[in-house]
Structure formats: C-alpha cells, structure tokens
Amino acid sequence: MGRLLLPVLVLAFLSGGPAQAADGPPGGPPGASSCTGCHAPMKVTDSVIPRIAGRKAADIVTFMREYRSGAWPSSVMGRIAKGFSDPEIDAIAAWFAVQPE
Amino acid sequence: MATRRTFLKLAGLKLAGAAGLAAPSLASAQGAGRVVVVGGGFGGATAARTLKQLDAKLNVTLVEPNPIYTACPFSNSVLANLREMSQQQFRYDGIKAAGVTVAETSVTAIDASARTATLADGTQLSWDRLVLSPGIDFDWGAIPGYDEAAAQKMPHAWKAGAQTVLLRQQLQDMRDGGLVVMSSPPNPYRCPPGPYERASLIAYWLSIWKPKSKLLLLDSKDAFSKQRLFQDGWAQLYPGTIEWVPLSKGGKVTSVDPATLTLTTEFGSHKADVANVIPPQKAGAIAAKAGVADRTGWCPVEPVAFESTLQRGIHVLGDAAIMGAMPKSAFAANAQAKVCAAAIVELLAGRAPPQPLLINTCYSLLAADYGISIAGVYRPDKGLLADVPGAGGVSPLGAVGGLRGQEALYASSWFRTITAETFG
Ligand SMILES: Cc1cc2nc3c(=O)[nH]c(=O)nc-3n(C[C@H](O)[C@H](O)[C@H](O)COP(=O)(O)OP(=O)(O)OC[C@H]3O[C@@H](n4cnc5c(N)ncnc54)[C@H](O)[C@@H]3O)c2cc1C
C-alpha cells in the first residue's frame, strides 16, 4: 500500500477530477440519490416538500429517527424511514448537510 | 505525453486491485469513458445528466428522437382538464447545458460485442458502457382487433401525447349518460396504479360535466395496487359511477371491435361510447434487438448497476427492466438512473460499485384535492431488488384531518421536483 500512495497523490493532482472519490462513493451514500426525487438538490418553485440540502446533519438524523419510530407524524416519511438503519441515516444526513443550501 | 499515458496505465493496473482513491480521474485521463444513453425519458435523461455531474470528463451521448418529452405522470389530470398538455412537456436544453451531447434520432441497432450503437442515419457510436431506457412498447395483437389503427378509435393513452389529447376529446364529445369502458392489462405493466387513477379522474370529470354517465373498468387482474384506498375513495366520492370487473368475474378483454367500440370478454360484450384500451406491454423494441430482452419481453438485470444479465456492458433502466420488487414508475426509473450512473463511474474506474438502496413512491389522485400514495424501499437480495422488510406501504385507510389533500399537494410537488431534477 505504501508504494501505491505516491502515484495516487500524483494522479489526483494531475487530473484535477471531481472530488467525490475523497468524500465517499460518487452520488452519495446508499439511498441518498433516491431522497432527491422529492428533496431535490436545486431549488424547486412551487414545491411544498421541505428542502433538506444544507441542513444540519443532526437535525436530519433526528427527523428520520422520529419519522421511523412514529414519534413525529408524517404522510410518507414514516414509511420511507423504516427502510433505513441508524448508520445509513447518519451517512445520508452527513451527505445532505454538505450539499449547497 | 506518451510517457504520461504509459505512466497512467501502469498506475491504473496497480490501482485496479487496491481501492485507489483517484481512480475515477484515471479513467477520464485515459479517455476511456464513452457512454451512450438510449432514450430521453425519466430513466435515460436522468442517467445522462447524472453521469456528467459525477464526472465532467465522461463523453456522454443521449439518443432520443423527440425534441420534446411528454411526461405520463399527471397526464390523467390532463384528461380531467385539471392540467394543460404543455405542463407535461419538457425540452432537453437543461441536459445539453449539463454537457451531454443530444442526438435527436433513434438507435436502430446495438452490437454488444463490438460495443457500438447504430443510429437511424447509419452513424455508428462506440461506447464503453451503454444505458438503455427505452420505456415500453405495446404487445399489439395480444388483444385480437387491437392494433395501431384501432388505437385511433379506442385510444390507449399509455404513452402521453397525441393519444392523451384524443381520449380527452372523445370524453368531451360524449353525450351525458354515455358509457366509458376501460380495459386494464395483466401484470407487469407501466405504472401499476395508473389505470385506477385514470378511472378516478375520469369519474371526477364526469361527475361535474356528464353526471349521468358511468365507467366500466374491465380488468385482467383480480387485485390491484392501493385497491382498498381506491375502492373506498370511489364509494365516497363517486358512488355508483365506477364498476370494476375483476378477471374472475369476466374482466379480461379477449377481443375488441374498433368499428363499433365493442369490447368482448369471456362473459359477454360491452358497447362503449368511449373506449380506453390499455394493452399488454413489453420492453421498448430496441431492447429485443440488442439481445437484452428475455422470453417475457422484459430485460433481466443484476441489482447493483442494472447491467443486463444477457449482454455485458449494457445497463437497462426503468420500465424496460425486470427490477424485482420495484414497480415500473417514473420515480423508480429516475432513482435507478442515479444509482446506475454512479455505478458506471465506478465500473469505468475498475472498481466494484457499492450495494445500493432505492426508494419508490407513487402518488395517485382520486380528485383534484384527494391524493394517496404507495412507497417502498429496496435493496439487492439474491440477485434481485427486494423490499426492505418493515418499510413502505400505502397511505392509511379512513384517513382524517386533511391527509388526502396534503398528499395531493405533495404529489404535484413531487412532479415538479422530479422533472426539475431530470430535465433541469
Ligand atoms: C397514465 C400514466 C400515469 C403515470 N403516472 C405516474 C406517476 O404518477 N408516478 C410515476 O412515478 N410514474 C407514473 N407513470 C409511469 C412513468 O411514466 C414511466 O414509468 C416512466 O416514464 C418510465 O421511464 P423510462 O425512462 O423507463 O421510459 P420513458 O419515460 O417512456 O422514456 C423512454 C424514451 O425512450 C425513447 N426511445 C425508445 N426507443 C428508442 C430508440 N430506439 N432510440 C432512441 N430513443 C428511444 C422514447 O422516445 C422515450 O422518450 C405513469 C404512466 C402512465 C401511462
């Protein structure tokens, strides 16, 4: 592994490619890209679904857990949140938190 | 330059086995990143755009014959005069602005071993990965008497556009007291709750403009998506207007006569004033030509990158693919496309794509302000996308407190969001 380190750094520098590799898998952690079907990264006029890009990760985590347990009422989020484990929620929340608000 | 290329190649060989951090850039540096996307619907347009977003150096070509895409979701609202057709239409300017090359033509042949796609004018495109999202074609001939000419008399309106406008016109021209007959296909087909949303919204429109009219829904199935919710809604909103005839009670249409607008079942004949025949379906024709459709007419894929299990290098998305528990919907096609695009970036870099998690949600309207939904969460299991146990399900029965109205608002918000994400 030590022998590979140098080429890796050089390559990253040479190509100037997208940074997503360093931040995790391209397109975000598992599940995140399905959330954006309703919570788009861009601003959508006339949508009453709340925006979550750029929100604090801890807030997203709290919402997801409360939707999952039913502590917080919802129309659809409870049914969706039940499909996600704590680590999956944490990863998705961290990803949304660094998306531009 | 030669030295640098050699160096990159060598480094690439070493990196292939070790989860190298910068490998995606490597693929672009080598120029080995040509992706051809066939079909500019919810699956294809999303895939093309996402590929460019994830790796700007990829060479992405989207092939789609229509300059304007007409979306099916919410086209039932067009029938009920709740929306204009123009609100269903989207151009490819946003996709072009994202750096995708858009070829306004059809793909006529695909050679998986030579890795080429042939366009209508004979041009050949080479690809490292091909994404196929051609939607559906109809199984003409499955219902004797129902062919493309018959569809001008008895519209399917299951590909939105001229057919939607034709069916709307026929409804508007119908006398009050007329009979609308719909025929719903066997599984699997595009948009499982779609025929029942359509029956609801036609009944909604009839209740306002032609209140003496009735709707007969002939079904090739004994059960359907969100059935209790639909039937409760029909009883509450349109008592006596919609009669649903399941398979076991003679719902399966065995032939039609377009000249007399007659639909025949095993139990008898029904003469319609307006007939909407939604025929059995299969993957868009190019799928069979590419050798990725199996005997069912649909395309088997593995559940991580949606690569065909019949031809290497070809990924199939959306309605055309067999996605296990995931239904054929615009939401699903868009979600699969994003997973597939990210997986292709990994594959081109010589890495294994991660195990995905996907969501599907289908909203249906029973009236302008009455919405219901079905949701699911899916992950790969035994070679297919399977339901994550305990997740998903339908809106609660007997809901109070404005939930149906709220879901109708969320439905239109979803459509705005997904079309913004797909077409820009
Ligand atoms: C009445 C109705 C209501 C619906 N409502 C909903 C809803 O509320 N929510 C929901 O999620 N889904 C809904 N759907 C389903 C949704 O429309 C489809 O699931 C979705 O369009 C599938 O996307 P796709 O990319 O697989 O195919 P499509 O969107 O059909 O796109 C396929 C594209 O490929 C192109 N193409 C085909 N062959 C070729 C070729 N050889 N070369 C180049 N291009 C080609 C076609 O021109 C087309 O543009 C509804 C469908 C109907 C009919």
Side-chain angles (χ1 to χ4, degrees):
Chain A
M1 194 60 207
R3 275 172 56 219
L4 283 172
L5 197 58
L6 186 62
V8 167
L9 291 176
V10 172
L11 276 175
F13 176 72
L14 278 180
S15 65
Q20 81 264 351
D23 304 329
S33 64
S34 280
C35 309
T36 63
C38 289
H39 301 283
M42 71 283 281
K43 290 207 171 63
V44 178
T45 47
D46 295 335
S47 172
V48 297
I49 299 176
R51 263 181 74 75
I52 61 172
R55 297 275 289 275
K56 279 203 210 93
D59 292 352
I60 297 175
V61 168
T62 305
F63 266 116
M64 287 294 282
R65 291 194 184 173
E66 297 206 338
Y67 285 138
R68 193 176 55 187
S69 70
W72 195 254
S74 67
S75 63
V76 73
M77 281 309 299
R79 288 177 268 153
I80 290 173
K82 286 191 177 71
F84 293 83
S85 67
D86 282 346
E88 285 161 355
I89 289 173
D90 292 349
I92 291 173
W95 182 80
F96 269 110
V98 299
Q99 303 305 308
E101 197 184 336
Chain B
M1 187 63 206
T3 332
R4 187 181 151 201
R5 283 189 71 94
T6 316
F7 164 67
L8 291 173
K9 271 193 192 142
L10 284 173
L13 283 176
K14 280 191 207 157
L15 281 171
L21 286 173
S25 323
L26 178 73
S28 345
Q30 287 178 319
R34 294 160 307 173
V35 184
V36 171
V37 181
V38 185
F42 283 100
T46 304
R49 196 153 181 238
T50 309
L51 279 162
K52 277 309 266 189
Q53 270 165 6
L54 294 178
D55 188 347
K57 289 185 182 139
L58 289 178
N59 185 334
V60 182
T61 304
L62 173 66
V63 188
E64 163 63 53
N66 301 304
I68 296 175
Y69 177 75
T70 306
C72 289
F74 276 84
S75 66
N76 288 328
S77 296
V78 174
L79 293 176
N81 254 352
L82 291 167
R83 284 171 77 82
E84 292 296 331
M85 204 61 198
S86 57
Q87 293 174 275
Q88 298 300 112
Q89 294 178 326
F90 301 89
R91 297 181 162 276
Y92 292 96
D93 302 333
I95 311 267
K96 290 177 194 160
V100 173
T101 305
V102 178
E104 203 181 296
T105 181
S106 295
V107 169
T108 55
I110 291 166
D111 185 333
S113 45
R115 304 214 158 193
T116 56
T118 307
L119 306 183
D121 68 0
T123 310
Q124 284 210 338
L125 301 178
S126 296
W127 44 265
D128 300 301
R129 293 273 159 184
L130 183 116
V131 178
L132 207 56
S133 193
I136 55 155
D137 266 316
F138 299 114
D139 197 352
W140 300 114
I143 302 176
Y146 198 70
D147 55 15
E148 281 174 275
Q152 295 306 312
K153 302 269 185 216
M154 307 169 111
H156 53 75
W158 219 242
K159 289 187 181 186
Q163 279 274 308
T164 316
V165 174
L166 177 62
L167 181 55
R168 181 178 62 182
Q169 191 60 49
Q170 291 184 348
L171 288 166
Q172 289 177 355
D173 293 344
M174 188 180 80
R175 71 187 163 92
D176 189 11
L179 178 67
V180 180
V181 184
M182 286 181 63
S183 156
S184 184
N187 290 322
Y189 63 96
R190 152 179 285 182
C191 193
Y196 313 95
E197 180 190 64
R198 175 171 292 175
S200 310
L201 290 179
I202 290 178
Y204 168 82
W205 184 83
L206 291 174
S207 71
I208 299 168
W209 299 103
K210 322 245 174 186
K212 292 184 212 129
S213 310
K214 296 248 181 297
L215 189 149
L216 183 64
L217 177 45
L218 302 172
D219 208 327
S220 295
K221 304 177 292 299
D222 274 323
F224 60 87
S225 176
K226 296 181 258 193
Q227 182 167 348
R228 282 287 308 279
L229 287 164
F230 275 114
Q231 289 179 322
D232 283 7
W234 294 343
Q236 183 195 329
L237 301 168
Y238 318 114
T241 303
I242 299 176
E243 186 190 345
W244 175 65
V245 185
L247 171 69
S248 57
K249 300 238 167 73
K252 186 183 165 154
V253 172
T254 51
S255 70
V256 299
D257 178 10
T260 58
L261 298 189
T262 304
L263 298 91
T264 301
T265 69
E266 278 156 12
F267 287 43
S269 282
H270 306 275
K271 190 167 164 358
D273 291 285
V274 171
N276 169 217
V277 176
I278 306 168
Q281 297 153 31
K282 57 186 179 182
I286 189 66
K289 286 194 199 163
V292 295
D294 69 13
R295 243 180 278 164
T296 64
W298 305 99
C299 307
V301 294
E302 50 75 21
V304 174
F306 314 126
E307 186 169 355
S308 167
T309 56
L310 303 177
Q311 302 286 352
R312 296 297 310 278
I314 301 182
H315 301 254
V316 190
L317 301 177
D319 290 357
I322 301 171
M323 287 287 178
M326 218 174 173
K328 300 186 189 303
S329 74
F331 191 109
N334 166 274
Q336 291 155 9
K338 289 176 278 187
V339 166
C340 179
I344 285 177
V345 169
E346 295 290 86
L347 288 166
L348 288 174
R351 283 196 303 246
Q355 296 283 304
L357 261 169
L358 293 98
I359 302 170
N360 178 65
T361 306
C362 288
Y363 286 103
S364 300
L365 295 181
L366 279 76
D369 58 354
Y370 190 114
I372 58 175
S373 62
I374 182 165
V377 184
Y378 309 88
R379 63 163 80 246
D381 186 31
K382 301 184 188 75
L384 285 174
L385 284 179
D387 278 296
V388 172
V394 299
S395 311
L397 284 163
V400 289
L403 182 64
R404 302 285 190 248
Q406 211 178 349
E407 288 219 278
L409 276 177
Y410 287 143
S412 58
S413 297
W414 163 76
F415 185 71
R416 289 205 182 85
T417 305
I418 204 144
T419 51
E421 198 194 26
T422 303
F423 297 100

